[in-house]
Amino acid sequence: MSSIRQVQVTFDCAEPERVARFWCEVLGYVVPPPPEGFATWGDFDRTLPPERRGAGFVCGDPSGVGPRLYFQRVPEGKAVKNRVHLDVRVGTGLVGEERLAALEAECARLVAFGATRVRVLLADEYDESCIVMQDIEGNEFCLD
């Protein structure tokens, strides 16, 4: 059995480029250059059949370490809680008030980009504190 070497995380959404650019801000990811022969992704997009224009967008970790994120347009809206979500790990190694301060600072930064704060889950005897949030189309993620 071979091991998996790369993982891509795919988001269903209504506006792929908008959601991709939000996640670029969250994670420090970048949009790759457009295909050869095109000055911009918009130029490339205009060569596609009308039904495919704006149907997908991608971003990735500039260091090549993190997974590529792919955003695909789907006709239906989000209906229920995500079964899988991303944990954005901004409080790693921190505990107590120091951890909460780091989480709150990142929460404020992301709210400015359109994220929604849902609730704070305070530390208990098993887990450290985290903040549950939603991206600009309502997909849940945690600041951990």
Side-chain angles (χ1 to χ4, degrees):
M1 204 172 192
S2 67
S3 64
I4 303 296
R5 302 217 184 279
Q6 294 184 347
V7 172
Q8 172 175 285
V9 179
T10 301
F11 289 72
D12 289 351
C13 54
E15 298 179 66
E17 183 174 353
R18 180 174 172 251
V19 180
R21 291 191 184 280
F22 168 83
W23 281 101
C24 283
E25 292 295 336
V26 173
L27 301 174
Y29 272 31
V30 296
V31 174
E36 190 173 321
F38 296 94
T40 68
W41 279 104
D43 291 344
F44 171 76
D45 203 49
R46 284 186 285 282
T47 68
L48 299 174
E51 67 276 4
R52 294 297 310 149
R53 292 180 190 152
F57 211 79
V58 67
C59 64
D61 181 352
S63 71
V65 175
R68 178 177 126 136
L69 303 181
Y70 179 71
F71 302 85
Q72 63 185 5
R73 184 176 59 219
V74 296
E76 68 278 357
K78 184 175 177 307
V80 298
K81 182 182 182 301
N82 300 8
R83 292 292 304 245
V84 174
H85 68 268
L86 299 182
D87 284 344
V88 179
R89 307 209 57 214
V90 298
T92 303
L94 303 176
V95 295
E97 292 302 316
E98 186 179 19
R99 180 182 177 87
L100 277 173
L103 297 176
E104 291 292 353
E106 184 65 0
C107 178
R109 185 180 83 85
L110 299 181
V111 166
F113 291 116
T116 302
R117 176 192 182 114
V118 176
R119 68 183 171 282
V120 176
L121 299 174
L122 295 174
D124 58 25
E125 60 188 279
Y126 303 106
D127 298 306
E128 281 296 334
S129 298
C130 70
I131 299 177
V132 179
M133 301 192 70
Q134 292 177 334
D135 74 8
I136 57 177
E137 284 200 4
N139 298 302
E140 293 89 8
F141 67 98
C142 292
L143 296 179
D144 178 38

